[in-house]
């Protein structure tokens, strides 16, 4: 395996949480990967792990205060910030995250963070309720919007391990994120600068002002794809039905729509400029012909009759518009005769690739944090079948396949 961390300067920031013991392992992995690591601790981190352990592992004195007490030597947070090729804060407590989000520079770690020009990676670790508190959620959102990368365990993984949100990501996975980051600097993704259109979530087809027809899509799969492609440098626009998930990558543009017709209009307007379109939305196939202007009443002998008409097939419409060089990716959500139906959809809609997920597979499809997919690509007789994974990992597999087309 290539050593992308070799010779890299990394500031490892450690804050006061139980997970601080894992930082020693992370440090060891970084050193093993060839990095030069400077540990910076908050004063309370020393309650959880000793500086002696960390300086022995890093081969450098640990920095914690602005001055060395006995000699009066000044530790320059500015120099340290500029020295770093990356800064990793693991574990990051709610307190430090709050200080970083608000520029409260009252210790060596936060001042170094504010002085750093390097990419900053933050691995939160705290109690479940603290993690869910609106102030923490808002502070993390702000850190993301400043361009920092938040490293958290995939939700699917949390569910399968029955461990709560808030647990610090495992050191091996933090190291992998860093390796990916430095690998991308050496060989940027062929998706860099590519314009990508993603459709997400369900659509709502109005019956009257208070009722609608919809489905169980949450948008989790589509937003995971959007984040993954954006993290590889693509310029991503999501045309999204009503969902409660958000994009984690600050560069992702979200255009909110409600009905299938609105989604079709938004996609039609943007597809010409796109290099890639990923149709992940669960668009209602039918809409209500004449939605009522007023709330339908219960009174009367007969239930109201609702006449349905076909919604535009957005994937098919884009398939007809597709110009040479554009890539169109569809999804197939099936319950039976899966492969045949998926291949038929790829053909009918003129897709270049179709991602099959079946509701017969446990943990796949709607609403779950995981998915299990089989990918068919045009002109390739052999399908690629993947095991059950978190939706973000599925997104990475799909992005790898899309990259091959542009590589
Ligand atoms: O959102 P989640 O809760 O994370 O769930 C993810 C998902 C199950 C919604 C997703 O993985 C998925 O399978 N999306 C496609 C769902 C779907 O509508 O499949 P379909 O087989 O009915 O449609 C085939 C393709 O045509 C899809 O790319 C779909 O986006 C597209 N389509 C369908 C109908 C329509 N009117 N317009 C379309 O563009």
């Amino acid at each position: 395996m290539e050593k992308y961390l070799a010779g890299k300067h990394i500031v490892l920031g450690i804050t006061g949480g139980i997970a601080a013991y894992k930082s020693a392992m992370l440090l060891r992995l970084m050193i093993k990967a060839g990095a030069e690591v400077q540990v910076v601790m908050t004063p309370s981190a020393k309650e959880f792990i000793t500086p002696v352990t960390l300086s022995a592992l890093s081969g450098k004195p640990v920095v914690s205060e602005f001055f060395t007490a006995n000699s009066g030597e000044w530790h320059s947070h500015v120099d340290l910030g500029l020295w770093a090729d990356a800064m990793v804060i693991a574990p990051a407590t709610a307190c430090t995250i709050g200080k970083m989000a608000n520029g409260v520079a009252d210790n060596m770690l936060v001042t170094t963070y504010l002085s750093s020009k390097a990419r900053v990676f933050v691995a939160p670790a705290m109690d479940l309720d603290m993690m869910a508190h609106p102030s923490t959620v808002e502070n993390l959102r702000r850190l993301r919007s400043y361009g920092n990368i938040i490293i958290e365990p995939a939700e699917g993984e949390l569910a399968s391990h029955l461990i709560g949100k808030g647990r610090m990501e495992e050191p091996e996975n933090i190291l992998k994120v860093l390796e990916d980051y430095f690998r991308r600097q050496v060989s940027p993704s062929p998706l860099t600068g590519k314009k990508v259109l993603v459709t997400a979530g369900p659509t709502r087809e109005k019956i009257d002002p208070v009722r609608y027809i919809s489905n169980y899509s949450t948008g989790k799969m589509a937003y995971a794809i959007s984040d993954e492609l954006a993290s590889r440098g693509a310029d991503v626009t999501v045309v999204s039905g009503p969902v409660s998930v958000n994009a984690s990558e600050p560069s992702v543009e979200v255009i909110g729509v409600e009905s299938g017709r609105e989604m079709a209009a938004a996609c039609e307007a943007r597809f010409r400029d796109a290099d890639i379109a990923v149709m992940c939305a669960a668009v209602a196939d039918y809409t209500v012909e004449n939605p009522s202007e007023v709330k339908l009443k219960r009174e009367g002998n007969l239930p109201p009759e609702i006449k349905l008409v076909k919604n535009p097939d957005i994937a098919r419409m884009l398939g007809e518009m597709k110009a040479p060089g554009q890539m169109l990716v569809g999804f197939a959500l099936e319950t039976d005769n899966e492969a045949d139906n998926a291949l038929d959809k790829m053909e009918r809609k003129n897709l270049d690739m179709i991602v099959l997920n079946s509701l017969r597979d446990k943990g796949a499809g709607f609403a779950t944090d995981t998915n299990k997919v089989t990918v068919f690509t045009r002109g390739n007789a052999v399908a690629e079948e993947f095991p059950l994974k978190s939706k973000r990992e599925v997104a990475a597999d799909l992005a790898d396949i899309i990259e091959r087309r542009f590589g």
Side-chain angles (χ1 to χ4, degrees):
M1 190 171 153
E2 300 237 30
K3 284 196 150 191
Y4 293 103
L5 261 74
K8 296 291 181 222
H9 294 170
I10 296 181
V11 169
L12 174 60
I14 303 178
T15 73
I18 304 286
Y21 76 93
K22 287 191 189 172
S23 310
M25 291 183 248
L26 176 60
L27 172 57
R28 213 164 65 97
L29 290 174
M30 288 173 171
I31 298 285
K32 224 172 126 193
E36 205 181 313
V37 185
Q38 175 62 60
V39 175
V40 180
M41 300 175 86
T42 60
S44 64
K46 293 189 221 162
E47 309 280 337
F48 293 87
I49 183 164
T50 72
V52 179
T53 307
L54 299 163
S55 73
L57 288 170
S58 66
K60 286 178 190 295
V62 166
V63 174
S64 181
E65 316 294 339
F66 292 108
F67 295 95
T68 303
N70 46 8
S71 68
E73 185 197 345
W74 164 248
H75 300 139
S76 168
H77 54 87
V78 176
D79 288 352
L80 204 47
L82 296 178
W83 172 85
D85 295 308
M87 184 166 180
V88 183
I89 300 169
T93 56
C95 174
T96 293
I97 288 169
K99 287 181 183 177
M100 289 166 69
N102 294 287
V104 180
D106 67 347
N107 64 33
M108 188 64 190
L109 177 49
V110 183
T111 46
T112 305
Y113 162 70
L114 291 179
S115 305
S116 175
K117 297 270 178 288
R119 181 69 80 180
V120 180
F121 299 82
V122 181
M126 66 195 74
D127 164 80
L128 178 64
D129 293 327
M130 291 172 81
M131 189 75 178
H133 193 279
S135 70
T136 311
V137 172
E138 172 58 17
N139 287 333
L140 284 171
R141 190 198 62 74
R142 280 208 216 169
L143 289 191
R144 285 192 183 95
S145 75
Y146 304 155
N148 301 310
I149 310 253
I150 311 299
I151 308 176
E152 289 180 90
E155 287 186 25
E157 197 185 320
L158 290 176
S160 61
H161 287 79
L162 298 174
I163 301 170
K165 204 168 157 60
R167 173 174 68 92
M168 186 175 109
E169 179 57 292
E170 295 305 324
E172 296 75 20
N173 293 342
I174 297 178
L175 189 81
K176 197 169 161 300
V177 173
L178 286 173
E179 271 174 345
D180 276 355
Y181 170 70
F182 286 116
R183 179 172 58 85
R184 289 273 174 233
Q185 294 203 322
V186 182
S187 51
S189 163
L191 300 178
T192 308
K194 292 273 178 278
K195 286 197 180 338
V196 184
L197 176 66
V198 179
T199 61
T203 62
R204 284 182 184 169
E205 311 300 328
K206 252 189 180 168
I207 297 172
D208 69 11
V210 297
R211 303 178 181 95
Y212 56 81
I213 298 171
S214 191
N215 58 62
Y216 296 111
S217 172
T218 56
K220 285 180 181 175
M221 187 68 248
Y223 278 73
I225 292 172
S226 305
D227 283 336
E228 182 62 34
L229 295 175
S231 77
R232 296 185 188 209
D235 184 357
V236 180
T237 301
V238 190
V239 176
S240 178
V243 294
S244 52
V245 290
N246 293 307
S248 303
E249 289 289 328
S251 68
V252 173
E253 185 198 2
V254 180
I255 296 168
V257 295
E258 195 167 311
S259 67
R261 283 181 185 152
E262 285 170 18
M263 187 174 274
C267 289
E268 190 178 9
R270 282 162 188 83
F271 184 59
R272 270 182 229 290
D273 280 345
D275 299 294
I276 303 158
V278 182
M279 315 310 287
C280 191
V283 186
D285 282 312
Y286 296 94
T287 190
V288 179
E289 184 174 50
N290 288 312
S292 172
E293 297 282 324
V294 293
K295 184 180 172 190
L296 296 174
K297 303 289 184 302
R298 196 184 155 80
E299 289 79 41
N301 294 332
L302 295 173
E305 279 191 12
I306 299 166
K307 181 152 185 242
L308 299 179
V309 289
K310 271 193 173 169
N311 244 343
D313 182 335
I314 307 170
R316 191 171 183 157
M317 175 180 77
L318 301 191
E320 283 164 12
M321 289 168 65
K322 193 172 66 172
Q326 284 185 306
M327 183 180 192
L328 183 57
V329 180
F331 269 72
L333 178 62
E334 303 296 341
T335 55
D336 58 286
N337 206 14
E338 285 88 345
D340 285 348
N341 286 338
L343 285 167
D344 179 54
K345 281 177 186 169
M346 178 155 76
E347 208 47 50
R348 269 192 294 121
K349 301 185 188 219
N350 193 22
L351 308 172
D352 300 288
M353 162 174 159
I354 192 153
V355 184
L356 164 66
N357 40 189
S358 171
L359 289 184
R360 280 205 283 190
D361 288 322
K362 204 165 169 283
F366 287 133
T368 53
D369 293 315
T370 50
N371 206 358
K372 182 173 182 312
V373 302
T374 303
V375 179
F376 300 85
T377 37
R378 190 172 279 276
N380 192 350
V382 188
E384 289 182 73
E385 203 175 332
F386 295 90
L388 186 74
K389 296 184 176 193
S390 72
K391 282 188 172 162
R392 185 60 190 253
E393 287 168 327
V394 171
D397 290 336
L398 300 180
D400 286 346
I401 299 176
I402 296 171
E403 266 187 358
R404 274 192 241 144
R405 158 93 180 244
F406 293 89

